Amino acid sequence: QVQLVESGGGLVQAGGSLRLSCAASKLTYSSYAMGWFRQAPGKEREFVAAISWSGSIQHYGDSVKGRFTISRDNAKSTVTLQMNSLKPEDTAVYYCSAASTTQVLRTGTGNYWGQGTQVTVSS
């Protein structure tokens, strides 16, 4: 069974930074696109970022462009989301996700999912 385990969430002041990591196991990691979604209370799940299996292609949601950076290490089966210039509206549970391609991943359908990690940004 595929396992995706997130870490790095927490509480930070507006303008600060956090780095989320996701460790994957029981899948052919280097063959999968990886990404992040988030969901705030009372809101729908939102696409945040995706990276292709090779790392050569990245996609970002409009609300995080220029502030968040996604990267991956295929040797360690990890994907990282560096979040800078955080805003209170970035507060949400962040989920790591895996799918066959970045296009499929962005739909949120048929993905593998982690359990999520809470990010709280105070004003």
Side-chain angles (χ1 to χ4, degrees):
Q1 184 175 351
V2 173
Q3 291 184 334
L4 301 175
V5 180
E6 302 96 338
S7 61
L11 174 65
V12 65
Q13 288 188 333
S17 299
L18 277 177
R19 179 188 292 259
L20 304 183
S21 294
C22 172
S25 60
K26 300 182 180 179
L27 81 167
T28 307
Y29 179 80
S30 60
S31 298
Y32 282 80
M34 300 296 296
W36 295 88
F37 287 76
R38 67 186 183 186
Q39 188 165 22
K43 295 187 176 181
E44 293 187 353
R45 184 178 59 199
E46 177 187 13
F47 168 74
V48 174
I51 188 167
S52 62
W53 66 270
S54 67
S56 62
I57 299 172
Q58 300 96 42
H59 297 288
Y60 295 94
D62 289 341
S63 61
V64 306
K65 283 181 181 177
R67 299 188 298 122
F68 291 11
T69 302
I70 189 170
S71 60
R72 67 187 293 160
D73 185 335
N74 286 349
K76 296 181 179 179
S77 298
T78 57
V79 60
T80 298
L81 185 69
Q82 177 66 43
M83 306 186 294
N84 298 327
S85 302
L86 283 162
K87 305 175 181 180
E89 50 264 44
D90 293 318
T91 295
V93 177
Y94 283 71
Y95 296 92
C96 179
S97 186
S100 56
T101 68
T102 54
Q103 291 87 345
V104 171
L105 189 144
R106 292 183 69 170
T107 69
T109 303
N111 298 21
Y112 294 110
W113 298 97
Q115 293 298 307
T117 185
Q118 177 71 47
V119 171
T120 303
V121 184
S122 63
S123 58

